Amino acid sequence: MAGMMQGKVYLVGAGPGDPGLITLRGMELLRQADVVVYDSLANESLLQEAREGAELIDVGKRGGHHKMEQDGINQLLVGKAREGGTVVRLKGGDPFLFGRGAEEVEVLRNAQVEVHVVPGVTSAIAAPELAGIPVTHRDLASSVTFVTGNEGQGKEGHEIDWTAMARTGGTIVILMGMANLDRNMRRLIDGGIDPQTPVAVVHRGSSPSQRTVGGTVSDIAERCRQEDIGAPSIIVVGEVAVMTGVLGDLR
């Protein structure tokens, strides 16, 4: 009988910030959910779409402070699913791009909980795009590399080979990288990238407060300090960064 009552979990990508950029399927599930477990990067205005009586649980991280550690979130999802009903795990951007979505799915699968994923619009592409920056361009970049600027704790050494990235060419898109912006730009320079390579930082992409700061690998960190640009921001390294001055704001 208990098995018959077990609910389902849906990992739903909330998009890059603008509530209009969630998918139709994501919105449908959000409106049906009995429980919504949401991150700080998911626009809280989306919670107004939840049905009356739905349980809303904030597990987001703000200013480096976790309301709930990942193990706690994993167990929360399992527990709520076992109570029956529909659980929506609302995650900023896309659930599987640096979002720990795969970890959550693995835990749910191991607990024999039914789980589904609804892809979301990732800020890694959307934020630059809305600032007039295509991450690929026929004349400027035929490849794009997505990288986290804040590697997971407990990793031995540096899993990211910044020297290899510096030599690969194309576009480098760095997520969650503002705290280590200075260090990571130095790593690219040490790896052989031209210090004058264009860089653009898009702050709060897709929101009304979206701002873009341009510079080069050698000076972008200082420019961001001068403009008081912090997280959340997407960092775009490569020739495509200059396109923001050509195409302009495309929101």
Side-chain angles (χ1 to χ4, degrees):
M1 181 67 70
M4 292 175 62
M5 294 295 293
Q6 182 154 293
K8 302 176 184 179
V9 177
Y10 293 88
L11 272 67
V12 174
D18 180 343
L21 294 177
I22 191 172
T23 64
L24 289 172
R25 179 59 172 155
M27 184 65 81
E28 176 186 36
L29 290 166
L30 180 58
R31 289 169 174 164
Q32 295 173 358
D34 300 299
V35 181
V36 179
V37 179
Y38 63 97
D39 278 348
S40 57
L41 288 177
N43 192 317
E44 290 198 16
S45 69
L46 287 171
L47 301 178
Q48 298 171 14
E49 300 291 337
R51 67 171 181 79
E52 186 175 351
E55 184 179 4
L56 307 178
I57 304 174
D58 181 1
V59 296
K61 180 177 76 170
R62 292 174 180 82
H65 173 70
H66 293 263
K67 292 210 169 185
M68 186 179 293
E69 296 294 336
Q70 188 62 47
D71 286 346
I73 295 171
N74 295 343
Q75 295 313 309
L76 173 68
L77 294 173
V78 171
K80 289 299 178 182
R82 286 178 173 166
E83 292 175 9
T86 299
V87 180
V88 163
R89 173 71 169 108
L90 193 64
K91 302 174 76 69
D94 179 88
F96 276 14
L97 188 64
F98 304 133
R100 295 191 174 183
E103 297 174 40
E104 294 172 2
V105 168
E106 189 174 7
V107 169
L108 290 161
R109 289 283 198 207
N110 289 339
Q112 297 185 314
V113 172
E114 184 175 343
V115 56
H116 305 271
V117 172
V118 179
V121 176
T122 174
S123 61
I125 295 174
E129 188 169 75
L130 294 171
I133 303 169
V135 295
T136 62
H137 187 285
R138 187 172 66 170
D139 297 325
L140 301 175
S142 299
S143 66
V144 57
T145 302
F146 299 109
V147 60
T148 174
N150 183 23
E151 295 177 71
Q153 294 180 351
K155 292 182 181 176
E156 293 185 10
H158 300 302
E159 183 173 290
I160 297 170
D161 188 339
W162 292 90
T163 297
M165 277 197 299
R167 295 174 179 170
T168 297
T171 304
I172 303 169
V173 178
I174 306 172
L175 292 81
M176 301 176 289
M178 293 307 290
N180 296 322
L181 183 57
D182 258 319
R183 183 179 69 176
N184 290 338
M185 292 303 102
R186 286 199 304 271
R187 285 173 169 176
L188 288 174
I189 291 172
D190 291 345
I193 202 169
D194 183 344
Q196 297 307 305
T197 300
V199 181
V201 174
V202 185
H203 179 61
R204 296 192 178 278
S206 85
S207 76
S209 56
Q210 175 179 307
R211 296 171 61 197
T212 305
V213 173
T216 66
V217 173
S218 63
D219 69 11
I220 191 63
E222 179 58 31
R223 286 178 181 263
C224 285
R225 279 191 289 269
Q226 291 172 355
E227 298 290 333
D228 195 27
I229 298 292
S233 295
I234 301 294
I235 303 156
V236 183
V237 181
E239 295 302 322
V240 295
V242 303
M243 292 299 294
T244 187
V246 178
L247 302 182
D249 192 324
L250 294 177
R251 284 176 291 169

